[in-house]
Structures are given as structure tokens and as C-alpha cells.
Amino acid sequence: MRLVFAGTPEVALPSLRALIDSPRHDVVAVVTRPDAPSGRGRKLERSPVGALADEHGIEVLTPAKAGDPEFLDRLRALEPDLCPVVAYGNLLPQRTLDVPKFGWVNLHFSVLPAWRGAAPVQASVRNGDDITGASTFRIVKELDAGPVFGVVTEKVRERDTSGDLLTRLSESGAHLLLSTVDGIEDGTLRAVDQPADGVTYAAKISVEDARLDFSTPAVAIDRLARAVTPEPGAWAEFRGERLKLGPVTPVDDMTLPAGEILVERKRVLVGTATTAVALGEVQAQGKKRMGATDWARGVRIEAGERIA
């Protein structure tokens, strides 16, 4: 089939590679977010999906909006049979959805109808889910509500960050997306409507949402810190300045007042509403990321000081 692939970040690359490498399909173009300024020089850079397409000599389309007339004219001229989507990050109006013969098929990183929305993997980690997965479905106007073609599942490991889990799902999801595209071409795969029960939503997590509240239980702090690693990254305040934090580890054998810091020889503990947590990596403003014990020695924490 003639495919126009839509995606933007690195997590979409395994799927794009699988479709490019397939002898059954022809990726005639990719659609991705416009080049964005990056680094200190704010130089415009291609998205990871756009860069991979460039490497393979595939046309790259970067509309500001997916309903722009010029983009629609080019999309129609490409005559795609199907448009696979992985983490594109732009709304698709109905006039755009109507262009390809078999519609747009999205790879979404949850077992639908659970965790529709922008941040399903983060929601799964934060919620303490034991099992998550990925689903392929036909895109409709309502958010992530289209009929489902296929599902793969993945166990959420005890110390998984969102980054860890998403890396695994991007690989298993790529196989699912390719098999879905194959099945649609063969006419052997039919989409099944999502059940009305079990619908949950996963809104995008903002930087403010990623602030750790040490007056909550250790399990909640642990889950949130892992959920927002690597993006947008957990943080708290120390001595009136923002302190970036990596994942923490709950400690069953120690209790401290909420937010109080205790520096030991091999670990730095912080009190919560339940048992303490041990800090992992720490990054103070203007400093490099380092282990918590190195940070604590450098700032010379006084008895009773708190992180909030």
C-alpha cells in the first residue's frame, strides 16, 4: 500500500523503520511537526521522524496545521491508501481524515479504552498499573475513541520510568502497527468498537504537575517521579531554588518528618507522609546532574533542613 506516515518524536522511529523496511508497502511521504529551534544557538532542527525520512529520501511535509489547504492538496496528490500515525502531536480535522482510502490508523500506547489522551504511559506508571500495552485503532473525530484493530500488552516493572516503558512499547507497538497495516491490505482485519466501560483519560503532564509533594505518601512520590522521567522531569524546591530530581526509592526502615532531609554516608533520605524515600540523581540550578550524596556534600545540608 501507499503510505503517508505521521509522527514526530523518537518513539515513532521503530514504527517508521518497520514500514520503510516492509517489502509490501511504500512510504511515499511523512508528516511531522515543523522544524523547531533547539540548543543554545536556537538553530532549527528536524524532528526525529523528519530526519529519518531525509535519510531515506522520503518527502517530508511539515504543515503548521494538518488542515492547511496547501497540505491537503499535496496529501491528495500523493494518493495514500492509508496513513499510519505514531505520536504526531497535531489535530487531524475530518477533511484530512477523509483523504486516504483506508483512513488514518493510530498506534496508541495504552490498552484502549484505558488512558485515552496525550500521556498514557505516564498515567499508567503514576497510577501503579500492573499491565499496560499498545493499541492500533482507526482515528475518528472523538479523542482516541475509534474502533480497535489490535492490542499488545506489556508488564509494568516495579522500577520502570515512563521512558523505560515507552521504549519497550515503541518496539512491540511497531510490530503491531505493521501487522495491522498488513491485515488492512489483506482485508483480513476488522476494527472492533471500543467498550463503553473502562474509559479513562491521561492529560498531558505539565512542569507544575511534576513537582514532588513530600507531604504525600512515599508510594505516590515514587510513582510520580518515575512517571515524569524523563519528561518533564520531577522537581522540588530547596533553599528557595528549583532542584531537579530523578526517580526516588522508598525506604521501609526509616521515617522522618515530611520534607526533612537526612544525609547518611551512602544515601540521602527525605521524609514523606509515610516512610522516607532515598533520592537518586539531583540537579541544582546551573549545575550538572549528580548523585544525591555528592550533591549533599557540596551544599552542606544542616540538621532539620527540608525540601518542599
Side-chain angles (χ1 to χ4, degrees):
M1 283 199 294
R2 288 175 62 82
L3 306 177
V4 172
F5 179 89
T8 297
E10 288 189 13
V11 71
L13 297 184
S15 290
L16 178 55
R17 290 192 184 101
L19 294 170
I20 291 173
D21 292 343
S22 171
R24 297 183 55 172
H25 309 296
D26 182 14
V27 181
V28 296
V30 304
V31 185
T32 190
R33 296 293 292 274
D35 297 357
S38 178
R40 291 185 178 181
R42 309 305 289 165
K43 181 181 178 181
L44 289 178
E45 287 191 3
R46 265 292 199 231
S47 73
V49 162
L52 181 60
D54 288 338
E55 290 176 16
H56 287 268
I58 297 171
E59 181 178 354
V60 178
L61 307 175
T62 58
K65 295 182 179 180
D68 288 349
E70 289 184 5
F71 166 68
L72 281 174
D73 287 344
R74 183 56 190 150
L75 185 63
R76 293 186 184 105
L78 288 166
E79 298 183 334
D81 296 305
L82 180 71
C83 293
V85 184
V86 184
Y88 172 40
N90 215 335
L91 293 175
L92 298 169
Q94 190 62 48
R95 59 185 177 277
T96 305
L97 296 177
D98 291 339
V99 173
K101 178 181 179 181
F102 294 104
W104 296 66
V105 174
N106 189 35
L107 173 65
H108 182 78
F109 296 111
S110 80
V111 179
L112 292 169
W115 302 131
R116 296 176 181 176
V121 175
Q122 291 169 316
S124 189
V125 173
R126 187 174 185 177
N127 192 60
D129 293 349
D130 294 322
I131 299 291
T132 186
S135 307
T136 49
F137 70 95
R138 181 180 292 115
I139 296 179
V140 296
K141 187 174 182 179
E142 184 181 351
L143 178 65
D144 298 337
V148 172
F149 288 102
V151 172
V152 292
T153 58
E154 176 74 32
K155 180 176 175 57
V156 183
R157 298 171 187 170
E158 184 178 3
R159 302 308 305 159
D160 266 341
T161 66
S162 288
D164 298 330
L165 185 53
L166 192 54
T167 296
R168 298 200 305 275
L169 287 172
S170 70
E171 295 292 342
S172 60
H175 295 294
L176 173 63
L177 181 62
L178 178 58
S179 66
T180 297
V181 175
D182 289 347
I184 291 171
E185 182 184 44
D186 293 339
T188 57
L189 194 58
R190 295 290 182 270
V192 177
D193 289 341
Q194 295 183 35
D197 296 332
V199 176
T200 52
Y201 290 93
K204 183 178 180 180
I205 296 180
S206 69
V207 172
E208 190 59 37
D209 294 332
R211 182 174 186 169
L212 301 186
D213 180 358
F214 289 92
S215 69
T216 59
V219 65
I221 295 167
D222 168 41
R223 288 176 180 175
L224 177 57
R226 289 186 290 111
V228 298
T229 298
E231 295 294 338
W235 63 281
E237 283 192 359
F238 176 71
R239 295 178 183 171
E241 292 188 345
R242 182 169 296 192
L243 187 69
K244 294 181 180 179
L245 300 170
V248 303
T249 304
V251 177
D252 294 334
D253 62 352
M254 177 67 69
T255 58
L256 293 166
E260 185 171 307
I261 304 170
L262 176 64
V263 181
E264 297 183 339
R265 192 167 73 88
K266 292 186 177 181
R267 62 184 184 177
V268 177
L269 305 178
V270 181
T272 76
T274 53
T275 55
V277 296
L279 299 184
E281 289 190 322
V282 174
Q283 185 177 9
Q285 285 188 343
K287 304 292 184 180
K288 293 182 179 180
R289 188 172 287 268
M290 64 185 70
T293 54
D294 293 331
W295 165 76
R297 281 193 294 268
V299 297
R300 299 182 179 181
I301 293 171
E302 299 177 2
E305 279 200 280
R306 279 178 159 78
I307 189 171

